[in-house]
Amino acid sequence: MKLDELADHLGLSKSTVSRALNGYSDISEVTRKRVEVTARKMGYRPLSHAQAIRTGKVRAIAMVINSEEPDQHNPFLQDFLAGACEAASASDWTMTISTAKSGKDMLNVLGRLVEERKADGFILPRTEVDDARVKYLGELKVPFILYGRTEYGQSDPMDDMSWFDISGEAAIRNAVVRLVNFGHSRIGYVGSDPKFNYSHLRRDGYLEGLKDAGLRDDPELIREGARTREEGAIEARALLKLDHPPTAMVFATDLAALGCYPVCAKLGLEIGKDVSILGYDGIPECQYVNPGLTTFSVDSRRAGERLATLLIRQTRGEEPATLRELSDAVLIARESDGPPRLTPEALARKINLIQRS
């Protein structure tokens, strides 16, 4: 199948078909889709190297994963990449996955992919408050999209960036409201690493939930820095050993929440009765622990699909600031939360008795 044969079949000029296939912004979305669908059905495949020479694009997007992160094997990754790859493939693009050995190496890998023309744009996951990747790609004038937001606390953040995010702050707020409706009045919060933007947003959701319920926020009930089970266990233990421990705890991530399970078992506490626990992410392990962890689930596959789609649109000339979407996490109610069986004072006494015995 040649380009002029495809153009004749569509009743369009060869130039229009070529520009549609190469993503030029002067071609309408309706025409571009029609050309792409027909080309796929008729088996037309342009030569990638020839396209790159003509347009400066290799029709590829990329994501670099930091292998140094303690939770780099988070189960969300497989579904996320599947969604991104499927969306790229639907537009006849490819998705490149690379790894960096550290945060410092991250910029080297991004720079190499840009220099070698391996990608037209990048998905940047796990955005930080002060994200070096954003500054670096911005200086290179290379398209990128954030999975998350950045520049927490700035007066006018992200005024020229595109992003897709899940409203973690709304989910954590709803978690607090849910616990208050169960009858809890002393609710702890275990946040993630403050370098990540989402950690601040989810903490804001916790504070907003308390405010909406007319509860005073107590600084000793807020712990930070838990990304793994081990770190979650440390922070949960610290909360439960307070003179007036919380009868419920909200965790910024499921992995940290799962770390609370062995802590409660060691203290002789029944999760869902003596202490209520809620998480966020919806990772598969939540359904296999006993009792099952109530969590707010993120559709990682859809997130990958939307990020890839929006990024490709950006590489075709759409303004980054117009390519922003905020979605919601979905509550999955299980048995790890419910009405409090003990007051904070009674809970403290029970913990003290167990520790003495």
Side-chain angles (χ1 to χ4, degrees):
M1 171 63 63
K2 296 180 180 179
L3 183 64
D4 52 0
E5 293 174 325
L6 177 61
D8 288 343
H9 179 82
L10 287 163
L12 299 171
S13 70
K14 186 176 176 180
S15 173
T16 297
V17 172
S18 175
R19 295 180 73 81
L21 290 171
N22 289 302
Y24 282 90
S25 58
D26 61 340
I27 303 298
S28 72
E29 183 72 9
V30 172
T31 299
R32 184 181 63 77
K33 282 288 186 184
R34 178 182 167 223
V35 170
E36 287 182 348
V37 169
T38 304
R40 200 174 297 119
K41 287 180 178 178
M42 297 185 69
Y44 175 79
R45 289 290 184 273
L47 294 174
S48 59
H49 64 275
Q51 276 194 322
I53 292 171
R54 282 197 309 273
T55 68
K57 290 186 174 65
V58 293
R59 296 178 70 87
I61 57 177
M63 187 172 84
V64 182
I65 302 166
N66 185 354
S67 61
E68 185 184 48
E69 298 291 354
D71 56 348
Q72 75 271 22
H73 298 301
N74 191 309
F76 93 92
L77 193 58
Q78 181 177 350
D79 286 342
F80 177 86
L81 293 178
C85 290
E86 287 171 4
S89 180
S91 295
D92 288 330
W93 283 51
T94 58
M95 176 86 185
T96 298
I97 311 298
S98 296
T99 58
K101 299 175 184 176
S102 64
K104 184 177 180 180
D105 185 46
M106 174 67 67
L107 300 187
N108 294 331
V109 175
L110 289 171
R112 176 172 55 79
L113 291 172
V114 171
E115 184 178 343
E116 295 176 359
R117 296 183 64 190
K118 295 289 180 61
D120 300 311
F122 293 87
I123 295 173
L124 303 184
R126 289 184 172 162
T127 49
E128 299 182 8
V129 174
D130 184 17
D131 204 309
R133 300 170 301 175
V134 169
K135 295 182 177 65
Y136 182 68
L137 292 176
E139 289 171 357
L140 294 177
K141 300 189 183 308
V142 174
F144 63 87
I145 186 167
L146 309 176
Y147 184 16
R149 287 159 279 174
T150 187
E151 298 180 355
Y152 176 87
Q154 300 296 313
S155 58
D156 188 21
M158 306 171 297
D159 57 347
D160 60 348
M161 291 180 243
S162 60
W163 48 265
F164 174 89
D165 200 8
I166 310 297
S167 185
E169 59 269 42
I172 299 299
R173 175 198 167 277
N174 290 338
V176 173
V177 171
R178 174 179 171 86
L179 291 168
V180 170
N181 289 338
F182 277 137
H184 295 274
S185 59
R186 192 157 173 80
I187 302 167
Y189 175 71
V190 178
S192 186
D193 190 332
K195 77 176 182 180
F196 294 109
N197 209 78
Y198 74 78
S199 187
H200 298 272
L201 294 173
R202 293 177 198 178
R203 185 193 60 226
D204 285 352
Y206 164 76
L207 294 172
E208 184 180 345
L210 293 178
K211 183 178 179 181
D212 290 348
L215 297 176
R216 179 178 64 88
D217 62 280
D218 185 343
E220 75 171 1
L221 291 178
I222 300 177
R223 309 289 297 186
E224 300 282 3
R227 295 180 62 192
T228 65
R229 286 178 174 83
E230 295 75 18
E231 291 166 345
I234 290 170
E235 303 306 336
R237 188 178 298 110
L239 287 173
L240 291 171
K241 288 189 175 181
L242 292 172
D243 291 339
H244 293 85
T247 58
M249 288 179 279
V250 179
F251 289 77
T253 66
D254 287 338
L255 282 177
L258 293 174
C260 187
Y261 276 68
V263 172
C264 288
K266 191 171 183 179
L267 294 174
L269 302 178
E270 187 177 352
I271 292 176
K273 302 292 174 53
D274 296 324
V275 178
S276 285
I277 300 173
L278 280 90
Y280 177 96
D281 275 331
I283 64 176
E285 289 94 323
C286 296
Q287 61 187 308
Y288 301 122
V289 291
N290 186 26
L293 178 64
T294 296
T295 184
F296 282 83
S297 178
V298 173
D299 189 339
S300 296
R301 195 182 196 95
R302 181 176 181 275
E305 181 272 322
R306 293 308 301 151
L307 282 156
T309 299
L310 293 172
L311 177 56
I312 290 171
R313 285 169 56 184
Q314 185 187 154
T315 65
R316 286 171 168 158
E318 293 189 42
E319 288 296 323
T322 66
L323 301 172
R324 298 176 179 174
E325 292 183 11
L326 187 64
S327 189
D328 290 316
V330 177
L331 174 69
I332 299 180
R334 297 192 177 100
E335 301 80 34
S336 69
D337 64 334
R341 182 159 64 185
L342 303 172
T343 64
E345 293 74 21
L347 179 59
R349 287 195 295 271
K350 181 172 183 174
I351 292 171
N352 289 332
L353 284 172
I354 293 292
Q355 289 180 312
R356 289 197 198 104
S357 60

